[in-house]
Amino acid sequence: KAGVTQTPRYLIKTRGQQVTLSCSPISGHRSVSWYQQTPGQGLQFLFEYFSETQRNKGNFPGRFSGRQFSNSRSEMNVSTLELGDSALYLCASSPTGDSYEQYFGPGTRLTVT
Amino acid sequence: GESVGLHLPTLSVQEGDNSIINCAYSNSASDYFIWYKQESGKGPQFIIDIRSNMDKRQGQRVTVLLNKTVKHLSLQIAATQPGDSAVYFCAEICHSTFGDGTTLTVKP
């Protein structure tokens, strides 16, 4: 069974631009969670989608948004990029949404210049 | 707010030695913890979990200890191997709180 895939793997954007990251969960998994990982802050929870509905949300500004499609694939969008948004963005999928069953993708490395 | 932190950002051990990675948490109501391993260029990988009704849980070469009195948990890796070199971090699941990570380097 294929693992969680994320595209693109690397991305360079300029301040003020917007970016969309994509995540394809493991087949059959209905829950997708997004995390931001930085050296100083560690792994921080962004939001979780289950069956196309946002079920949980972390403490991030409204510039960070996401959605999930009927095939469980998910996208996250960051608008008006700031330098501090440079990070590794990780996606994790789960069959039912129980965190302990999460399987992480390799992440998208976003650099904002 | 809730926080989870690791005691040492880096740990270097000799191959074959045992490794101990520590983590402290702030919320006494924390109920469920997971240790993750993250290798370079990869996403975190589940190692072992423990619920608050347990003090100890063992896996293959790994043991997690939970001390609720001092809000501390540790990951012990027996007979550490070069393939164990990675970043390890603990996570408190109920509040989606993660530690920064300890980079474990295993010297052959």
Side-chain angles (χ1 to χ4, degrees):
Chain A
K1 196 183 261 190
V4 177
T5 58
Q6 293 186 245
T7 57
R9 291 294 310 278
Y10 303 92
L11 202 51
I12 299 175
K13 288 285 189 178
T14 306
R15 267 185 309 175
Q17 288 185 313
Q18 67 93 27
V19 67
T20 299
L21 311 181
S22 181
C23 171
S24 292
I26 292 172
S27 177
H29 285 195
R30 296 168 62 189
S31 168
V32 173
S33 297
W34 288 90
Y35 297 87
Q36 182 194 67
Q37 188 176 37
T38 58
Q41 299 293 321
L43 202 64
Q44 292 187 292
F45 172 72
L46 280 156
F47 28 67
E48 183 227 349
Y49 286 87
F50 184 82
S51 294
E52 301 180 66
T53 301
Q54 187 180 85
R55 196 159 64 166
N56 290 298
K57 189 177 189 300
N59 295 321
F60 277 81
R63 300 185 297 108
F64 292 80
S65 63
R67 59 178 176 168
Q68 187 179 33
F69 302 95
S70 58
N71 61 358
S72 293
R73 190 177 69 85
S74 177
E75 290 181 345
M76 69 161 281
N77 184 278
V78 188
S79 62
T80 320
L81 283 165
E82 300 176 0
L83 295 178
D85 296 333
S86 295
L88 180 68
Y89 289 88
L90 290 159
C91 163
S93 78
S94 171
T96 60
D98 290 335
S99 297
Y100 76 96
E101 285 192 82
Q102 284 187 333
Y103 298 85
F104 283 85
T108 293
R109 173 73 63 186
L110 173 65
T111 302
V112 182
T113 62
Chain B
E2 297 83 11
S3 69
V4 174
L6 282 96
H7 295 183
L8 288 174
T10 61
L11 177 65
S12 182
V13 301
Q14 207 69 35
E15 181 179 359
D17 287 351
N18 296 332
S19 303
I20 299 176
I21 300 171
N22 296 302
C23 191
Y25 60 96
S26 63
N27 191 336
S28 57
S30 296
D31 181 55
Y32 182 58
F33 302 89
I34 294 178
W35 279 99
Y36 287 98
K37 172 186 180 182
Q38 188 172 18
E39 297 175 276
S40 180
K42 297 182 180 179
Q45 180 184 6
F46 173 98
I47 301 173
I48 191 168
D49 60 353
I50 189 167
R51 292 197 178 273
S52 60
N53 61 352
M54 303 171 72
D55 297 323
K56 179 180 179 179
R57 188 140 192 250
Q58 286 185 293
Q60 187 178 10
R61 286 201 304 118
V62 294
T63 301
V64 55
L65 299 177
L66 176 62
N67 185 328
K68 294 178 284 295
T69 302
V70 295
K71 292 184 281 188
H72 175 273
L73 67 158
S74 66
L75 175 71
Q76 300 178 2
I77 305 174
T80 315
Q81 303 167 0
D84 295 327
S85 293
V87 176
Y88 292 82
F89 57 90
C90 61
E92 193 282 314
I93 297 307
C94 295
H95 300 94
S96 294
T97 309
F98 298 79
D100 290 346
T102 292
T103 300
L104 175 65
T105 303
V106 182
K107 296 177 286 188

